[in-house]
Amino acid sequence: MYLAAKFCTVTNNSLQKDKISILAVSGSLRSGSSNEAVITTAATLVAGEVDVIIYRGLGSLPHFDGSELPPSEVAGFRRLLMEADGVLICSPEYAFGVPGSLKNALDWTVSTGEFAGKPVALITAATGGDKAHASLRLTLTALSAHVVEDATLLIPFVRSKMNATNEISDGATIQAIKNIMDTFIQTIKDQN
Ligand SMILES: Cc1cc2nc3c(=O)[nH]c(=O)nc-3n(C[C@H](O)[C@H](O)[C@H](O)COP(=O)(O)O)c2cc1C
């Protein structure tokens, strides 16, 4: 099971669409991840208004090898991207770069174009994070994604913005997440 359908209905890897759906992808595989906490906060703030589907299959995707007959995990990921009205990416920074598992997932979409024109909100939550943030923007540009300018957010020192139970607890950060989600949803509505 690589999907957690915490905020919507998922049937056979396919979304039942009765409202706007946002696929949320965390670049961290770590238990207790701050980026996962950011996604949970974002989903909670907009619950009822849109469906947020949290993708948990990043760690199960095989390494990109250019195969034209993709493994089922890749096909499932691509399908979820296609079906989503927008994609929220939340990522840490490792060694001044994008986590390999996230870059691997994005590489699987280069030739098939699931991100082309797709509205994307981008949050980088790390100690600093500026380099991964810039690098992700560059990669998303290569994928022809529609990175929504006012739906991008860098959250430095993210661990200091969490409480003991791994939730985002800093008021200004929660408000910033709310602001970009509102902008993101409005952009998707305007585009549809
Ligand atoms: C091996 C390693 C390398 C890291 N390198 C960077 C880095 O280059 N820049 C940065 O801003 N944070 C760096 N960090 C900090 C992580 O981005 C930070 O711990 C973040 O909270 C991890 O995301 P997560 O909580 O969602 O797992 C690094 C952490 C680890 C464990």
Side-chain angles (χ1 to χ4, degrees):
M1 186 70 172
Y2 65 86
L3 266 175
K6 284 174 80 171
F7 296 91
C8 81
T9 311
V10 176
T11 310
N12 296 331
N13 274 348
S14 187
L15 311 184
Q16 287 179 353
K17 301 195 70 168
D18 46 9
K19 52 176 126 153
I20 285 173
S21 65
I22 294 172
L23 187 68
V25 181
S26 167
S28 173
L29 304 178
R30 192 175 67 83
S31 170
S33 158
S34 50
N35 283 276
E36 176 94 15
V38 170
I39 286 176
T40 302
T41 300
T44 303
L45 288 168
V46 299
E49 194 181 349
V50 297
D51 288 331
V52 177
I53 300 89
I54 302 177
Y55 179 70
R56 297 192 195 280
L58 218 60
S60 306
L61 291 176
H63 292 168
F64 175 71
D65 62 2
S67 158
E68 288 180 16
L69 282 176
S72 60
E73 296 91 339
V74 172
F77 178 55
R78 287 173 172 169
R79 190 178 317 121
L80 288 166
L81 288 170
M82 283 302 291
E83 292 177 344
D85 296 303
V87 180
L88 166 65
I89 295 175
C90 293
S91 180
E93 175 175 295
Y94 292 139
F96 289 175
V98 177
S101 54
L102 177 58
K103 181 62 165 60
N104 180 56
L106 297 177
D107 287 348
W108 274 113
T109 72
V110 172
S111 61
T112 43
E114 288 79 9
F115 273 98
K118 184 79 68 182
V120 174
L122 176 64
I123 300 177
T124 308
T127 304
D130 55 308
K131 296 170 190 69
H133 200 63
S135 180
L136 276 166
R137 291 179 68 115
L138 205 56
T139 298
L140 289 164
T141 301
L143 299 176
S144 301
H146 172 199
V147 178
V148 178
E149 197 53 44
D150 291 333
T152 64
L153 179 65
L154 179 61
I155 307 177
F157 306 110
V158 64
R159 304 272 191 109
S160 70
K161 292 157 184 171
M162 299 172 73
N163 62 19
T165 50
N166 279 337
E167 296 158 328
I168 303 296
S169 53
D170 175 63
T173 302
I174 293 169
Q175 186 60 54
I177 295 169
K178 173 84 170 99
N179 290 346
I180 72 154
M181 289 305 287
D182 287 346
T183 301
F184 189 43
I185 291 166
Q186 191 56 52
T187 301
I188 293 171
K189 284 180 178 167
D190 291 347
Q191 190 168 307
N192 282 349

